[in-house]
Amino acid sequence: MTVPHVRFTIERIRTVVLVAGLLLVVALGVFLTIGRWRSPFNRRDLPKKLGIDIQQEANGFTHAEFHAGHAQFKITASKVEQLKNQRYRLHVVKIEMYDPAGGGTDRIEGSEFEYDQQAGTAHADGPVEITLDRPKSTQSSAGKKPATQTATSQKKSATPDPAGKAPAPDQIHVETSGLTYNQNTGVATSTQHVEFDSPQGWGSAMGASYDSQNGRLVLNSAVELNTQHGVDPVAITAEHAEIDRNADLCRLIAGTARYRHGDARAKQATIQFRDDGSAQELDATNGLVLTTASGGHLAAPTGSLQFDEHSQPKLGHLEGGVTVDSDNNGRKLHGTAPTAQLEFVSGGVLRLAHLERGVNFDSDEQTNAAGVASRAHRVWESPVADLAFRDSGKGQVELDSLHGIGGVVVTSESQRGATAPAHARMTADDVKGTFGPDSTLSTLTGVGHANIEQTTETGARQTTSGDRLEARFTGAQAADSKYRAQKANGPAGATQIDAATMVGHVVLTQQAATKPGSASGAAAPSALRATAERADYEGAGELLHLTGNPRVVNGGLDLVADKIDISRASGDAFAHGDVKATWFGSEATANAGQDPASTARPGPGLGSQGPTHVIASEAQLHQATGEATFRGQARLWQQGNSVNAPVIVLDRTKQTLVARTANAADPVKVVLVSAANAGQTMTNGEQNKSGAGPNKSGKPDTPSVIRVRSGDLKYSDAERRAVMHGGAVGSVVAETGDATTHSSEVELLLLPAGNHAGKDGGSAQVDRMTALGNVIIDSQGRHGTGEKLDYSSERGEYVLTGTAAAPPRMTDQARGTVTGGSLIFNSRDDSVNVEGDGRQTSTETTMPKKP
């Protein structure tokens, strides 16, 4: 399970911070300083000083004005001409305006000025240079060295100034032409190109106006600013800019900032400043778009940033529908949220992004490893999401955690090559993911109604739920060595689960896929359902370990053990320690007691209709085949019939039972009820000692059970037949109430289900037993040998046969040996019949019974 890649989002949010800083530089460092410093145009008596009282041409003109013993301004001109219509022309003009507090000096220099006394305007056709000094009070108010000196030195080193016109650290330098000042309105305008240079940056605009009465500066169009953010160059352009000195506002229209990591665009942006010139708040309206060099894209209709006293961002807000898009190195991301809140720590470093009112991340990833193309599509949905960041060095941050609350849903679809897609869905009330280097998912924790639904590429479906989910992730390259070539062939593979833990009321369901080629309408394999207090997932082996009273129900099989492992790939289950299982057969069988209309189909066992019970040290359930294998002192019983063996295998699909051993000292042991005592019921394979009524001869009905020891057992419920071989044990030993036989093989035929069964569906009963190969029988003092022995439990009759070369033989210690074509022994009347050579002979031997 993985969540969407969010490295792009970090870059977007960092961009918001950077743009705010750049806009701050524009307003604070270039334009607002003009308004906040002393403006040479904000003097209504300036035209008079420039020549109102001049009546003739004069050379070397100088005029100074003092107030309270301090110079206010000084005007010098190399030459003054009086023109017609109350107009005057001044040549090589220099105007110096002094700070009354003894601070810096502002200067205006131009080759020629013309003053129209009647219109009240002053105009300079040629170039004009304006130099503004920082006032003394501003320089010393904070008692600190201006932070812009570093930026100035960086700029100067990057852009040499051979003409020596670069401003000093405390100056702003402006150049333009066609400057006109209106004495009546106090507005200075220019329609020509304007260039400016300051410690914070340098740039230009086409046309400008300054309203000295209202403190409003307007840059008409084609606004450009070059500055630096740290050591990185930044270029800012705008269609239009306005600075309101009185309101401490800077407004940009269609502004764009370009920098090393991308660019930012805002249709309208406003910066609010404090009285000391530090930025207080930035507002962007009518569309904010941020783009990174890697293809990332962040957009919001409106956005704002709040700054601390050092002009560093501390809070941010985006609203109106925030969208995030990226396409980087085979990974595409699209995210949406109505609003986003940003929090910053000291130095303007981003620490938290809070998204709410419906958060959605949608990602697509394409990889190519060793020539195999893979894709993954993931979706994150939550009402609220918090993204926390950490410092990654070099002035950058990276994602530290992603926290969703209020109900989180994460879905994914992945496909490798031409295989079928695999689907997954995770839900929880509260989900938190932590991230490692390069913003790769490291851990994921889901709390409250945690649930995971998965469909593998083979079509198997699995659902796991619990109170709390904890998962640890690793890259596909580390998890699978065959993908180690990815770095050379393409981007890294998708994140995979390395380990996971689900705790508290764990419930797992798993449905295996229908086998390929199955007939249309064929029933799907039965679902597996498991419960436990804890489930641990091991990614390397794709195993789920269940502990804390684990229990598995599968196709009518109910199994408990100390620990149960379930394979995610195959759906197989492995039980360890004190295994106890009850097989009810099909689901219809399990529900038969509650629904009389249900058709009760017996499960695999020993022919009875009741449940089959098994205990063992270990067990394995094969989901695809329907087999259940029990190992380690395994014991199975179904009503009165039972099997003990080192290994017992039940096949639900084939309705078969197989038991085997490889140790002669630990044979397969089978106990089956005989049809001779139909009125009796057995418990766990033990004979009922209550007895039955005597038969017509006055003797009790025996045997009541048949006990067999062998090397293996194969039973088919469809054939009602059990076959046993000597195998590792050497020979098959069968014991009835009257006889014991040894042979190479024994075949047992059970009566059809329900026929001659005990009351209320008693144990399945043996109808016939056949022993084959080197048969030896011992019964009531008789010893017989042959090649085949047939036993009918209903008649109590044994038929021993042999071959022409080795006919059957029976020895009676008191009366000798009997042989013939076949020897028939009746356990109920102790008679022996001998048949052979086409004639029937009868020898009756009465043996004294022991008291």
Side-chain angles (χ1 to χ4, degrees), residues 301-497:
T302 61
S304 65
L305 278 175
Q306 297 180 18
F307 301 88
D308 62 17
E309 63 276 11
H310 303 292
S311 298
Q312 297 288 356
K314 60 179 182 179
L315 295 174
H317 178 73
L318 302 176
E319 65 178 12
V322 182
T323 61
V324 179
D325 294 277
S326 70
D327 187 352
N328 183 24
N329 201 24
R331 291 172 174 170
K332 295 182 179 180
L333 172 71
H334 175 72
T336 62
T339 64
Q341 301 285 347
L342 311 178
E343 294 183 11
F344 305 84
V345 295
S346 177
V349 178
L350 179 65
R351 276 296 177 265
L352 179 66
H354 177 77
L355 311 178
E356 61 181 25
R357 290 162 47 189
V359 182
N360 179 284
F361 287 104
D362 193 324
S363 70
D364 287 283
E365 183 176 353
Q366 302 282 343
T367 63
N368 193 316
V372 178
S374 300
R375 69 172 184 86
H377 176 76
R378 303 179 182 89
V379 177
W380 167 292
E381 295 176 302
S382 64
V384 178
D386 289 324
L387 289 78
F389 304 91
R390 62 173 178 267
D391 189 358
S392 62
K394 299 182 180 179
Q396 297 185 4
V397 297
E398 62 182 358
L399 187 63
D400 183 68
S401 65
L402 171 61
H403 186 193
I405 59 177
V408 181
V409 178
V410 181
T411 59
S412 69
E413 178 184 284
S414 59
Q415 184 177 23
R416 180 175 297 167
T419 61
H423 301 267
R425 183 176 187 270
M426 173 186 172
T427 60
D429 297 341
D430 185 306
V431 176
K432 182 177 182 179
T434 62
F435 297 81
D438 199 29
S439 296
T440 56
L441 184 61
S442 177
T443 66
L444 189 68
T445 302
V447 179
H449 303 94
N451 184 80
I452 297 179
E453 301 175 10
Q454 296 174 292
T455 301
T456 67
E457 58 189 22
T458 61
R461 298 189 304 274
Q462 177 175 299
T463 301
T464 307
S465 63
D467 297 337
R468 180 184 180 91
L469 168 67
E470 297 179 358
R472 185 175 69 251
F473 295 84
T474 183
Q477 298 169 256
D480 195 336
S481 60
K482 70 180 180 180
Y483 295 107
R484 291 176 182 171
Q486 286 190 7
K487 286 188 178 179
N489 298 321
T495 301
Q496 293 182 340
I497 296 179

Side-chain angles (χ1 to χ4, degrees), residues 505-541:
H505 306 94
V506 177
V507 177
L508 177 142
T509 60
Q510 193 162 27
Q511 176 68 62
T514 303
K515 294 181 180 179
S518 298
S520 177
S526 60
L528 179 148
R529 185 178 189 274
T531 59
E533 283 302 311
R534 180 185 178 99
D536 293 283
Y537 176 71
E538 172 191 327

Side-chain angles (χ1 to χ4, degrees), residues 555-630:
L557 175 64
D558 192 334
L559 181 145
V560 297
D562 294 338
K563 178 182 177 182
I564 300 177
D565 300 333
I566 298 177
S567 170
R568 177 181 176 273
S570 64
D572 294 350
F574 307 86
H576 310 276
D578 196 18
V579 177
K580 299 175 183 177
T582 298
W583 206 316
F584 296 96
S586 65
E587 288 81 359
T589 303
N591 296 328
Q594 292 80 19
D595 184 4
S598 299
T599 302
R601 177 189 177 190
L606 288 176
S608 298
Q609 294 185 4
T612 300
H613 306 279
V614 186
I615 59 174
S617 298
E618 296 184 350
Q620 181 176 356
L621 309 182
H622 298 271
Q623 179 79 338
T625 63
E627 284 187 350
T629 302
F630 299 88

